[in-house]
Amino acid sequence: FGMFPFQSSSDKDVILNILSVLTDLLSLGTGRRIQYVISKGGSEALLQALTTAARTEPLDHSILLPLLRLLARVGQRDRKFGMKVQKAEATDTILSLARRNVGHHLHLTHCLWVLRVCASNVTTGTTLGINGAMELLFKVITPYSKRHVRTVRAAIEALAALLKSKSNSRRAVSRGYLDGLLRLYQDWHRNDVSNNYAYIRRGLLLCLKHITNIQLGKETFLCSKGMEILFTSVQDCLSCKNLDPIINTVTQILRKCYPKEPLPVATVRSSYSFPLPGIARAEPPCEGSEGDYESDGEEEVEKDLDSEEEESKEEDYDLETDVNKLRSKAVLDRPEEELGQYEAMCPELSHNFQELETESEEEKSLEDRTESLLSAPSHSIPNATSMKHPNYRLRNQSVTEMGPDPAEKDFKVSLQSWTKKEKCRWDQTDEKRDIAETAQDADSCEDPARNHVLILRPLPKDPAWYKKAFYPECEALINSTAGGSLDCSDIVTNLLEKHQGDIPFHSPHFYIARAKRVKSIPDYKDLAFPDFWGHQPPSYSKSMLERKYGVQRDKVLDDVRRLIQPGDVIGRTVFDLDEPSHASPGAPGCLTFFSKFESGNLRKAIQVREFEYDLIMNADVNSNQQHQWFYFEVRGMKLAVPYRFNIINCEKFNSQFNYGMQLVMYSVKEALQGRPRWLRAGHDICYYKNHYRCSAAAGRGVKGNFYYTLTFSIKFPHKDDVCYLAYHYPYTYSTMMSHLDILERNRNPKKVYWKQQTLCQTLGGNLCPLLTITAMPESKKRDDLEQFCNRPYVFLVARVHPGESNASWVMKGTLEFLVSSDPIADLLRKCFIFKIVPMLNPDGVINGNHRCSLSGDDLNRQWLTPSSQLHPTIYHAKGLLYYLRSIGRTPLVFCDYHGHSQRKNVFLYGCSIKETLWQAGCTVDTAVITEDVGYRTLPKILDKVAPAFVMNSCSFLVEKSRESTARVVVWKEMGVLRSYTMESTYCGCSHGLYKVSQSFK
């Protein structure tokens, strides 16, 4: 190229031959050849040659055209091409060549190819825009014409590249180009009947997409009826799959330009608030104006770093690399004398087991066993007051380890024996026991428990159905009343008589007894039918839902239709937790909603169209965020009609609902016909960003965030049924407490040591149970008693996050297995003492929270410095661990059960110094840093024996953002090598025996 200008025709022939060879090599070769040319200065050489050739008069197009083709090809691969163009001062040269060749379309097309590549650099593109490139391009593409289509396509692509610059977009809007682009798109759409020019239509859409990245572009687009134009045009494309690029681009533009608005609630703060001890609650931050939340960017950065299970895209930057912080440190966050109170929570270490000889099961009456079943704990319950008395001890250290049938050697809880016993055992004694127990709790908790008169939610109002499908005598009981008192209702009495008692480890009687003593912020008066009645797993497995092609764009377009064709929009509030008087429930053809029951969560329901509803979840108590868990009742439906529900204030940027997950549904009519089941339900399910903006407070301090919509359609199985819909299989606090009652009553006392105590009282006044499970000693001989006392501890906790109900189902299975007669369970009991806190956040579960406690805090971020007043369950669980460490009984294993919303299968998070440092790219001196690899033993065992477990999904990295979680704190402060978080999917398994099947528990 240094031969320019040519001295002879032979010089020109040499250059032409070189250009021809280069063109052939680069067109036939791979990207590696182009990169090689770039690395040898090929871009600079070609730009220099172009600049020199452009100065010659007249222009020699036999040289220019090959040069332009090579520049376009090389420039596409050269990431610094734009800067090189500016450095070579070739910007004006390229633009001048384009202007001089406007009348010659072949030459102009080559210039436009290079212009497009230059504009890929924002700075270079801005310079081209200032120098009039957009005016030139707009002149080329207008008016509509099918002549010189190749040139028009090149011009549109170059214009789209230029409009990536915000300054160019603003210049285009101010000069009226946006309106011209819309008209031009309409012309091409109208005349391209055979879809031969779809690439030109998409190029125009890309121009519109880039312009509408700025706020001025959005506003002008809306004023120019852009929403209507694109929505109308895209309807003609939906039936042709080849036009997906057009449909997808239109959908992106429509979503982006949909007018932003706040969530249709008075405030994003939770409908429920709870006064915190000694803390004046700060005023909620200002919601802000609409302008505060607009962004000039195409898409805001979407991250979710707030949960133990969420994987950050910048995980490596979050890794802890300070070795001193990674090492275990025996620290204490409270006075040492306070640990004495936890001695009472380890009665197994001082138990004399006199009852092995002196007390027989036959001497204990049924009434005595019943009254001891649900009695208050035998020691003072730790709370903020008891912390002032470090010398606190057991009131009664004797432990009664008796059960129903000591003569049975090979004990096993059978469904048949349980159902027979369960009915006969419920008598007036239980009612007396409830009263006595309430009095005991009032004495021990210093906060009298209210003995609620609860109401069962109304049953379906369909007497004819009951007469035909259920039992005739019930017809007279089903009327227009709102249910009946659980103490005296004929309906409830009749239901209890008809309950088949075939649900393992569940009794409506036990549930009622426990539910009456629950303390909630709304002071619940109603019982949800599924929790009262119970449910059975289906007899079949269900594969994950196959995502329907194009379902998300169809839903988005349907949302846009509301805006531009509002004729059928009703917009009526039919349920409102904040202002019940403003709602219009029971309107003709309208569903009725309800959520004021234990674990329920639905704040507002708006009827959009006849069979479509927008639903809003309630934020966690004392919070303005954490929207994911929902659980509500719906009634008054029609048969075989698809109802669409849109939950419009979800927060996570993605969900397993996009990958096969379904919500769960429970039908009362199905239950009364003998099929009491939560089933996966819903079709046309998808999860996407919507137009409702978050305030900075609700958006975790980030302006410009938006909520997400979970949308699904359901055909209900019966007309006028009562159905319950939930994010996942519900598991309430009362369910857990009644389950513990049943397990205690049905264990084998000759083999199973079971002790249920109370860890502490929660902020809301509910009891947090603590369980001890191990094997009874073989005898009173010293060796057997020493073996009993010297067993290592395994510490298990669950449900610190209320919305992770799957953690409770896993814990339920754990408890049932540990008290069973399975040989492995028996071996585990003989080898270990299990300390279990089955529900660390009872208040959150009761009040329908997703993640937080009544303090508005994520309890799994409080383990580093928990407050005895604000976080009592964490404070005392950690205190018990401290106590075990102080007496030389540090647990062998600690495991915190969680649920995972964005991954499938089951897996563990553990802690490793070396793996963390290696992942962070640090040099690890193995002579200085030593580590026991025993933390991998348990995951490897689970990978072999548990079909749902996946070792490859496990991680043993310690992140800075997780330093206050249970897993990391117990590992560092207690020195527990095997400290884990166990994650269980909400969705299902993609691995092993349970692959493609939905996970029920």
Side-chain angles (χ1 to χ4, degrees):
F1 296 132
M3 298 170 67
F4 283 108
F6 305 126
Q7 301 299 322
S8 64
S9 59
S10 62
D11 292 341
K12 178 179 178 181
D13 292 338
V14 170
I15 292 296
L16 287 174
N17 288 332
I18 291 174
L19 291 174
S20 177
V21 170
L22 275 174
T23 302
D24 291 341
L25 284 173
L26 297 183
S27 61
L28 296 175
T30 63
R32 293 175 62 184
R33 288 186 178 178
I34 298 178
Q35 290 297 335
Y36 181 80
V37 170
I38 294 171
S39 68
K40 296 300 181 182
S43 298
E44 293 88 338
L46 290 170
L47 286 169
Q48 181 184 353
L50 178 67
T51 303
T52 304
R55 294 196 192 105
T56 60
E57 292 292 343
L59 293 175
D60 190 344
H61 288 97
S62 63
I63 295 291
L64 280 173
L65 294 185
L67 263 177
L68 291 169
R69 281 197 297 270
L70 277 172
L71 273 170
R73 181 174 292 275
V74 172
Q76 283 181 323
R77 296 275 185 169
D78 191 345
R79 294 181 179 181
K80 299 181 179 180
F81 188 75
M83 290 187 293
K84 293 175 181 178
V85 170
Q86 287 185 299
K87 188 175 181 180
E89 299 180 350
T91 308
D92 291 338
T93 300
I94 296 170
L95 197 55
S96 174
L97 284 174
R99 287 195 179 101
R100 293 173 65 178
N101 287 283
V102 168
H104 196 295
H105 292 281
L106 176 62
H107 300 165
L108 177 61
T109 302
H110 284 69
C111 296
L112 295 177
W113 288 343
V114 178
L115 194 65
R116 181 193 63 187
V117 176
C118 294
S120 60
N121 177 275
V122 175
T123 304
T124 308
T126 301
T127 303
L128 288 169
I130 293 172
N131 292 336
M134 287 193 298
E135 290 80 355
L136 170 66
L137 296 174
F138 209 77
K139 181 179 179 181
V140 173
I141 64 177
T142 56
Y144 164 79
S145 172
K146 288 188 178 180
R147 295 182 60 193
H148 311 298
V149 172
R150 192 182 183 195
T151 304
V152 171
R153 179 181 183 178
I156 291 173
E157 290 175 350
L159 180 60
L162 285 171
L163 290 173
K164 289 181 179 179
S165 162
K166 292 179 183 178
S167 60
N168 284 343
S169 292
R170 281 188 282 270
R171 190 174 294 108
V173 173
S174 64
R175 298 183 181 181
Y177 292 162
L178 193 150
D179 193 58
L181 287 171
L182 280 172
R183 289 197 301 269
L184 188 61
Y185 175 78
Q186 282 182 294
D187 290 337
W188 278 101
H189 175 77
R190 190 183 306 113
N191 292 285
D192 187 20
V193 180
S194 302
N195 298 322
N196 293 325
Y197 303 104
Y199 51 85
I200 289 184
R201 290 151 62 187
R202 184 169 185 270
L204 291 169
L205 289 172
L206 288 175
C207 294
L208 292 170
K209 179 182 176 182
H210 297 323
I211 289 181
T212 52
N213 282 338
I214 62 172
Q215 183 60 25
L216 179 62
K218 293 187 184 78
E219 295 170 357
T220 306
F221 180 81
L222 292 172
C223 293
S224 302
K225 302 294 182 182
M227 296 286 285
E228 291 83 348
I229 291 172
L230 295 191
F231 178 80
T232 303
S233 66
V234 81
Q235 303 303 313
D236 302 329
C237 307
L238 295 177
S239 59
C240 183
K241 195 170 182 178
N242 292 334
L243 297 180
D244 276 358
I246 289 178
I247 300 170
N248 293 336
T249 308
V250 168
T251 304
Q252 291 170 6
I253 296 172
L254 294 178
R255 286 177 61 184
K256 182 168 52 179
C257 295
Y258 199 112
K260 307 303 181 286
E261 56 183 307
L263 207 62
V265 290
T267 174
V268 295
R269 301 281 301 177
S270 173
S271 298
Y272 302 145
S273 62
F274 184 82
L276 300 178
I279 296 180
R281 199 66 184 180
E283 290 296 320
C286 177
E287 300 286 331
S289 61
E290 180 170 347
D292 292 338
Y293 304 101
E294 298 299 340
S295 170
D296 281 350
E298 179 175 349
E299 296 288 344
E300 63 271 12
V301 178
E302 299 172 329
K303 297 179 182 177
D304 190 346
L305 305 179
D306 191 50
S307 65
E308 165 75 24
E309 69 272 17
E310 301 304 334
E311 292 183 319
S312 168
K313 294 181 180 178
E314 299 180 352
E315 184 180 89
D316 290 355
Y317 297 102
D318 189 35
L319 296 177
E320 182 58 74
T321 56
D322 187 335
V323 177
N324 291 325
K325 291 183 178 180
L326 289 172
R327 294 184 187 276
S328 295
K329 296 180 180 179
V331 296
L332 194 63
D333 65 359
R334 66 199 74 194
E336 188 174 354
E337 57 268 19
E338 285 189 5
L339 300 184
Q341 64 180 307
Y342 300 106
E343 179 184 350
M345 298 183 188
C346 299
E348 65 279 0
L349 298 181
S350 57
H351 200 286
N352 56 23
F353 294 97
Q354 291 295 327
E355 70 274 14
L356 286 175
E357 294 180 357
T358 62
E359 186 177 5
S360 68
E361 182 66 22
E362 288 77 10
E363 294 172 351
K364 191 170 178 67
S365 67
L366 175 62
E367 181 174 347
D368 291 337
R369 296 204 311 273
T370 305
E371 289 186 346
S372 66
L373 173 64
L374 296 178
S375 60
S378 59
H379 64 274
S380 298
I381 299 173
N383 52 36
T385 304
S386 71
M387 298 315 300
K388 300 176 183 177
H389 306 286
N391 295 325
Y392 137 93
R393 289 291 186 273
L394 279 175
R395 291 181 183 173
N396 182 1
Q397 291 194 356
S398 65
V399 182
T400 301
E401 298 301 334
M402 292 296 106
D405 191 2
E408 185 179 4
K409 294 183 178 179
D410 190 15
F411 176 83
K412 185 175 182 179
V413 178
S414 67
L415 177 60
Q416 291 77 15
S417 63
W418 157 244
T419 56
K420 291 177 182 177
K421 294 174 184 177
E422 186 275 326
K423 289 188 178 181
C424 71
R425 286 179 178 171
W426 191 263
D427 54 24
Q428 294 181 352
T429 303
D430 297 276
E431 297 180 8
K432 295 177 182 177
R433 183 209 54 229
D434 291 337
I435 297 172
E437 186 181 9
T438 301
Q440 278 187 306
D441 281 347
D443 178 62
S444 62
C445 301
E446 301 178 4
D447 182 12
R450 293 158 291 182
N451 194 11
H452 298 287
V453 177
L454 293 174
I455 304 298
L456 182 66
R457 291 296 301 154
L459 300 178
K461 301 176 182 179
D462 193 350
W465 178 84
Y466 284 92
K467 184 174 182 179
K468 178 180 179 182
F470 195 33
Y471 45 90
E473 60 268 29
C474 190
E475 178 181 358
L477 299 176
I478 308 303
N479 48 44
S480 59
T481 62
S485 167
L486 288 181
D487 289 334
C488 59
S489 169
D490 290 336
I491 295 178
V492 174
T493 302
N494 203 307
L495 285 173
L496 291 175
E497 291 176 358
K498 296 296 178 181
H499 193 277
Q500 297 178 8
D502 57 352
I503 299 175
F505 302 102
H506 177 80
S507 163
H509 305 287
F510 278 70
Y511 190 87
I512 292 169
R514 282 300 182 178
K516 281 195 273 189
R517 300 165 56 211
V518 167
K519 298 178 182 179
S520 63
I521 294 176
D523 193 17
Y524 295 132
K525 302 296 184 184
D526 295 83
L527 274 184
F529 188 88
D531 305 321
F532 159 75
W533 195 255
H535 69 101
Q536 298 172 326
S539 57
Y540 54 89
S541 62
K542 185 177 181 181
S543 61
M544 283 180 279
L545 184 69
E546 186 176 348
R547 185 179 174 95
K548 179 182 175 183
Y549 180 78
V551 62
Q552 179 169 310
R553 72 187 186 198
D554 292 343
K555 298 293 186 180
V556 172
L557 292 174
D558 205 27
D559 292 343
V560 173
R561 183 179 286 107
R562 285 196 215 177
L563 178 69
I564 64 177
Q565 298 175 3
D568 60 344
V569 174
I570 299 172
R572 174 173 56 199
T573 299
V574 296
F575 175 77
D576 194 335
L577 209 57
D578 301 311
E579 301 180 22
S581 59
H582 291 186
S584 304
C590 173
L591 295 176
T592 302
F593 296 85
F594 189 79
S595 66
K596 290 188 70 173
F597 49 77
E598 192 174 341
S599 293
N601 189 315
L602 178 66
R603 182 174 189 169
K604 192 172 185 178
I606 303 170
Q607 186 179 21
V608 178
R609 301 185 180 98
E610 183 179 4
F611 300 114
E612 182 179 356
Y613 295 83
D614 279 354
L615 308 178
I616 299 174
M617 295 177 288
N618 194 21
D620 284 4
V621 176
N622 282 340
S623 173
N624 51 26
Q625 56 187 26
Q626 308 298 352
H627 305 93
Q628 182 168 318
W629 172 258
F630 59 87
Y631 179 23
F632 58 89
E633 173 196 285
V634 60
R635 60 178 63 224
M637 63 285 295
K638 295 182 179 179
L639 181 63
V641 173
Y643 287 86
R644 178 182 172 184
F645 298 96
N646 311 305
I647 299 179
I648 61 175
N649 63 330
C650 302
E651 290 177 334
K652 291 184 180 292
F653 67 88
N654 204 352
S655 169
Q656 281 292 308
F657 282 112
N658 276 336
Y659 306 102
M661 180 172 163
Q662 295 173 278
L663 68 153
V664 294
M665 180 180 72
Y666 187 103
S667 164
V668 172
K669 284 191 174 183
E670 286 290 303
L672 293 177
Q673 286 182 317
R675 296 181 293 275
R677 295 168 184 164
W678 282 102
L679 297 175
R680 294 285 186 176
H683 59 276
D684 291 350
I685 300 175
C686 62
Y687 186 96
Y688 56 90
K689 186 191 298 183
N690 61 34
H691 63 283
Y692 294 107
R693 63 173 183 266
C694 300
S695 64
R700 299 173 183 172
V702 181
K703 292 184 178 181
N705 279 357
F706 291 87
Y707 289 109
Y708 290 75
T709 292
L710 165 63
T711 181
F712 55 89
S713 298
I714 285 183
K715 289 184 180 180
F716 294 101
H718 299 280
K719 177 185 177 183
D720 292 327
D721 197 356
V722 177
C723 291
Y724 291 80
L725 304 179
Y727 179 84
H728 194 69
Y729 305 100
Y731 194 96
T732 66
Y733 173 74
S734 296
T735 298
M736 178 200 66
M737 295 300 286
S738 60
H739 182 240
L740 298 183
D741 296 338
I742 294 168
L743 287 178
E744 181 175 6
R745 173 174 289 195
N746 288 272
R747 78 193 191 287
N748 183 352
K750 288 291 187 179
K751 293 187 176 183
V752 181
Y753 177 100
W754 169 288
K755 179 64 178 176
Q756 180 174 337
Q757 299 170 283
T758 297
L759 177 69
C760 64
Q761 184 181 353
T762 67
L763 270 178
N766 297 288
L767 304 182
C768 180
L770 170 68
L771 305 176
T772 305
I773 301 175
T774 188
M776 294 291 284
E778 295 293 334
S779 69
K780 276 191 63 180
K781 294 179 181 179
R782 175 179 294 183
D783 291 344
D784 290 332
L785 293 180
E786 285 184 358
Q787 191 276 338
F788 176 90
C789 292
N790 291 329
R791 294 169 185 167
Y793 278 91
V794 173
F795 206 106
L796 307 177
V797 299
R799 204 70 182 277
V800 69
H801 294 147
E804 296 172 5
S805 60
N806 44 353
S808 281
W809 286 108
V810 177
M811 178 58 75
K812 177 179 184 289
T814 300
L815 294 174
E816 290 172 6
F817 178 75
L818 284 177
V819 301
S820 72
S821 60
D822 188 287
I824 297 178
D826 186 55
L827 181 61
L828 287 171
R829 290 194 301 267
K830 290 177 180 178
C831 292
F832 304 102
I833 298 174
F834 292 88
K835 283 289 183 186
I836 302 174
V837 184
M839 189 172 285
L840 272 172
N841 193 349
D843 291 340
V845 173
I846 290 167
N847 291 285
N849 284 8
H850 170 63
R851 194 169 187 85
C852 299
S853 65
L854 296 190
S855 65
D857 297 319
D858 179 348
L859 291 184
N860 200 36
R861 293 296 186 276
Q862 309 305 322
W863 281 82
L864 205 57
T865 55
S867 164
S868 60
Q869 287 190 317
L870 298 180
H871 322 118
T873 60
I874 305 302
Y875 185 86
H876 292 294
K878 187 178 181 183
L880 179 55
L881 285 162
Y882 273 141
Y883 173 74
L884 292 174
R885 188 194 68 180
S886 70
I887 62 173
R889 303 300 299 275
T890 300
L892 180 69
V893 174
F894 173 87
C895 190
D896 184 9
Y897 291 14
H898 282 255
H900 203 294
S901 65
Q902 298 201 36
R903 294 175 68 181
K904 295 179 173 66
N905 308 308
V906 180
F907 50 94
L908 291 178
Y909 290 121
C911 300
S912 166
I913 297 178
K914 287 186 177 181
E915 292 195 35
T916 302
L917 295 176
W918 284 331
Q919 182 67 29
C922 299
T923 302
V924 179
D925 187 348
T926 55
V928 177
I929 302 175
T930 59
E931 186 174 48
D932 185 348
V933 295
Y935 62 88
R936 279 184 166 265
T937 303
L938 184 58
K940 287 182 177 179
I941 293 173
L942 288 172
D943 194 45
K944 298 294 184 182
V945 302
F949 192 86
V950 179
M951 183 67 185
N952 290 339
S953 296
C954 296
S955 172
F956 304 95
L957 307 180
V958 181
E959 304 95 335
K960 297 174 185 177
S961 59
R962 313 288 191 241
E963 66 175 357
S964 57
T965 61
R967 165 178 64 98
V968 177
V969 170
V970 173
W971 173 68
K972 288 171 64 175
E973 295 188 14
M974 312 301 168
V976 178
L977 176 68
R978 300 168 183 84
S979 180
Y980 304 107
T981 297
M982 183 166 70
E983 299 283 1
S984 303
T985 180
Y986 282 106
C987 180
C989 296
S990 59
H991 170 89
L993 181 64
Y994 302 130
K995 185 177 180 179
V996 311
S997 293
Q998 291 283 23
S999 176
F1000 181 75
K1001 294 183 181 179

